[in-house]
Structures are given as C-alpha cells and as structure tokens.
Amino acid sequence: NDPYSSHSLIWNYLEKCSLRDMKVLELGVGDASLTSRLSQKGAQVDGYELDVGSVHLARPFCRRVYEGDLDLIDDMPLDRDYDLVMAADVLEHLRDPERVLSRLKATVKKNGILIVSLPNVANIYVRLNLLLGRFPYHSKGILDRTHLHFYTIKSARQMLNKTGWVIEGAQTSTIPLVIIFPPLNRWPFKLFLYMLRGATSLFKGLMAYQSVFICRNPNQHQLL
C-alpha cells in the first residue's frame, strides 16, 4: 500500500525486467507477496526461509523452498546459476552477513543481479531518540529487536563493495507513515507523501528509512 516502501521500489524495478523463465532465489520470503508476484510473471523461484509459517506461505509459488538458517548457507545445496537473488530486509538479521554475501556470489551467474534492502539507522527517528537518551527496540522497523547489525546508507554500500558486488543503482524508501495513517494514501493527503518523498531524495542520510541496492556479480561463479 505504500508506493515508496522498499518492497514497492524493488517491484517497480522487477516489473521492468523480463521475468519469464528468470531463475530467482529469494532470501527471506516473509509474507510471500513478492514471491507470488514473481511466480505470476513466470519466474522460477526458489525460496530460503527460517520461519515455518512463511515457508508454508511461499510453497505454492516456488519450485522449492529451503528451510533453514541463512547463516548456514554452506550447508544448503543451492543451484549455481541464478539470474537474480533478492535479500530484502534480511541481512541485518544475520550473524555474519558479509560471509553470506560473499558466498552468494557462487550462486549467481556472471553479471547476475543481487537486490538488497537494509534499514538506515541514521534515520531522523533514531537520531531524535538518541538525542533524548533513548534506543527503543520494537517488534519491527529500523530498531527491530531481532536485528543483529545496524547500517547507514554509507556503511551498507561499503559492505557490498567489500564483498565484491558492483553496485549498479540505489534508491531510498521513505518513512512508512502511510502504514500508520492509511488515509495519507488518498487525495488530497497524498500531497504530503510527495513532499516527504522529495525531502527524502534531498536528505537521504537523514530521512531515508531503508536503502535499496541493485548489484551485479562481476565474477564467473564457477571460479568462486
């Protein structure tokens, strides 16, 4: 419902791709919203998920679903010729995301794509709370209590570069006020969303809620 959420930005990118028969690995299928859309567009989707409920949601839309801890990716018999890997709101939950990112290069074709979204801990909400001496954990969002790592836009970019991915493009999502106040997604309140989007574009480090990166694998996977 939020046109400027990370998942909306990711789907806007995917809709421009030729998805039919594209081989996709989705890490963390969640509610299977992206999984189902990819399947409907003709993509061959494999899922990788820890939560049993999410595994059941994704199964109707996947060729196969690997059930397990992504930190143990070496134990999974993943294919080595994916066209696209998606890691939306996943890496911050892992014990060693850099090792997983490096390992993923062996599963993607040369010039294959990795899509990553990560929360921006330098968002104004977190900064104001720190100014007041607070660091309030929540059940979801930037300060989700299950997050093991926190990233700014800059440090997220550095991690992707360090692990050998070439960043081809990047976008930022806005603070998801429309989820809290659904009427904002209707006229004339939409004008406020446009203003918020404009402010986010101008002041990414301060206003961005999440960063979305489109990355390319420059290596032959057979050599990794």
Side-chain angles (χ1 to χ4, degrees):
N1 293 328
D2 185 350
Y4 304 121
S5 72
S6 61
H7 279 66
S8 292
L9 296 175
I10 289 171
W11 183 247
N12 289 342
Y13 169 80
L14 290 174
E15 277 196 308
K16 299 173 186 175
C17 302
S18 178
L19 294 174
R20 181 157 297 280
D21 296 324
M22 179 181 281
K23 197 169 179 180
V24 179
L25 174 63
E26 184 180 7
L27 308 177
V29 296
D31 64 0
S33 56
L34 285 176
T35 321
S36 60
R37 290 191 180 194
L38 286 165
S39 177
Q40 289 164 9
K41 292 290 186 178
Q44 302 174 39
V45 186
D46 290 346
Y48 197 134
E49 177 60 57
L50 179 61
D51 180 73
V52 175
S54 295
V55 168
H56 291 313
L57 288 174
R59 277 215 169 99
F61 310 109
C62 293
R63 294 190 313 162
R64 64 176 74 95
V65 181
Y66 298 98
E67 185 177 348
D69 186 344
L70 189 53
D71 274 302
L72 304 178
I73 189 171
D74 293 320
D75 298 335
M76 288 294 176
L78 297 175
D79 292 347
R80 295 173 61 86
D81 59 347
Y82 289 105
D83 301 296
L84 170 69
V85 174
M86 295 197 305
D89 309 332
V90 168
L91 298 175
E92 63 271 24
H93 297 272
L94 304 182
R95 294 187 296 277
D96 193 352
E98 292 186 7
R99 188 186 68 80
V100 172
L101 280 171
S102 297
R103 173 69 178 83
L104 283 173
K105 293 183 68 187
T107 70
V108 183
K109 294 178 180 178
K110 183 177 182 180
N111 295 320
I113 298 298
L114 168 72
I115 301 178
V116 169
S117 67
L118 287 164
N120 171 35
V121 75
N123 179 269
I124 187 171
Y125 168 77
V126 181
R127 295 192 193 200
L128 289 175
N129 273 282
L130 286 172
L131 186 64
L132 296 172
R134 301 187 306 214
F135 199 78
Y137 281 107
H138 302 295
S139 59
K140 58 183 178 180
I142 296 175
L143 298 181
D144 186 327
R145 59 177 51 90
T146 65
H147 289 180
L148 301 182
H149 299 271
F150 296 94
Y151 299 94
T152 64
I153 297 174
K154 182 178 180 179
S155 66
R157 184 180 287 272
Q158 288 172 337
M159 177 175 65
L160 290 165
N161 287 329
K162 179 181 178 182
T163 51
W165 293 93
V166 177
I167 298 174
E168 302 272 283
Q171 296 189 67
T172 53
S173 70
T174 58
I175 299 170
L177 294 180
V178 71
I179 294 176
I180 304 169
F181 305 109
L184 288 176
N185 211 15
R186 305 173 194 156
W187 289 103
F189 306 110
K190 265 191 175 182
L191 292 173
F192 178 77
L193 290 184
Y194 292 144
M195 292 171 61
L196 181 61
R197 184 62 181 164
T200 303
S201 299
L202 287 173
F203 307 104
K204 293 183 177 67
L206 178 66
M207 298 298 295
Y209 191 72
Q210 290 166 299
S211 48
V212 178
F213 298 94
I214 310 298
C215 309
R216 177 175 56 82
N217 180 16
N219 305 114
Q220 291 280 2
H221 67 89
Q222 296 95 335
L223 303 178
L224 295 170

